[in-house]
Amino acid sequence: MKIFTFVFENFHLSLIYKTDKIMINPDIAPPKNPTLRSKFKGLSIDNDARMFTNARKGLSSAIFYQFAQLIKMPDKSLANLLHLSPRTVSNYHEKHKPLAPAQSEHLLKLIALFDKGEEIFGNIDEFNYWLNKPYWDSNEKPGDWLITPGGVDLVMLEMDRLAYGYPA
């Protein structure tokens, strides 16, 4: 018996070859990596009104650390994007204090952006590569815009253009 696994983007197909018969076995397909959406599904990143409500309450610093780990960004870099010091985030975490609404909103927008980036580019690594690649006509990179919620919105618009086939 031989097992062949074929991967087409996010679809896995395993075939079992027994002498003269080929059987499809969906149970052998490798497990999918959890997506950002599945990790943060309780935050309602698709709904602006719910995102606003969550931001107003303040996000847990645990979400900050989990997000930083999932997107492979150092805590210091993510804290800088939110205009916080890493020590401040650490203090919030130790005291179980939520992030301020402004930082919570910014973090939620970043989570939504990286979720869309993972969807469009296939994985976080490819999306991070795109974020750090200069535009063809300047030295500016999409990642440079992430320091404000408005900048996150502009990068989101650029990704929508890419998704519909327009060059960025």
Side-chain angles (χ1 to χ4, degrees), residues 40-52 54 108:
F40 298 108
K41 63 183 170 192
L43 297 178
S44 303
I45 57 175
D46 291 346
N47 183 315
D48 287 341
R50 287 191 189 137
M51 239 169 50
F52 168 75
N54 286 332
L108 285 167

Side-chain angles (χ1 to χ4, degrees), residues 43-88:
L43 297 178
S44 303
I45 57 175
D46 291 346
N47 183 315
D48 287 341
R50 287 191 189 137
M51 239 169 50
F52 168 75
T53 302
N54 286 332
R56 188 170 52 187
K57 291 177 189 173
L59 293 180
S60 163
S61 57
I63 292 172
F64 169 91
Y65 288 114
Q66 185 180 17
F67 179 60
Q69 181 181 17
L70 288 170
I71 65 168
K72 302 172 185 174
M73 182 181 285
D75 299 344
K76 182 178 181 180
S77 298
L78 183 56
N80 287 337
L81 285 179
L82 300 176
H83 304 284
L84 293 170
S85 74
R87 184 67 196 144
T88 300

Side-chain angles (χ1 to χ4, degrees), residues 94-149:
E94 289 170 7
K95 295 176 183 176
H96 302 287
K97 180 179 174 183
L99 298 173
Q103 280 85 22
S104 295
E105 178 189 20
H106 195 168
L107 183 58
L108 285 167
K109 285 182 176 256
L110 287 169
I111 292 170
L113 177 78
F114 274 81
D115 175 64
K116 182 174 254 183
E118 183 178 46
E119 180 184 324
I120 291 173
F121 289 92
N123 62 55
I124 294 297
D125 292 329
E126 290 295 323
F127 180 55
N128 278 327
Y129 174 77
W130 179 79
L131 280 175
N132 291 301
K133 184 179 173 195
Y135 284 111
W136 65 273
D137 61 346
S138 76
N139 291 329
E140 201 167 27
K141 302 173 284 207
D144 296 340
W145 297 2
L146 302 182
I147 60 169
T148 65

Side-chain angles (χ1 to χ4, degrees), residues 5-41:
T5 301
F6 301 93
V7 179
F8 304 99
E9 293 186 18
N10 292 332
F11 178 74
H12 297 271
L13 174 66
S14 295
L15 300 176
I16 300 174
Y17 177 71
K18 291 183 180 180
T19 59
D20 61 341
K21 290 184 180 179
I22 295 178
M23 301 177 345
I24 297 175
N25 187 346
D27 297 332
I28 297 179
K32 290 175 121 180
N33 290 335
T35 61
L36 279 175
R37 182 171 302 274
S38 68
K39 290 286 189 179
F40 298 108
K41 63 183 170 192

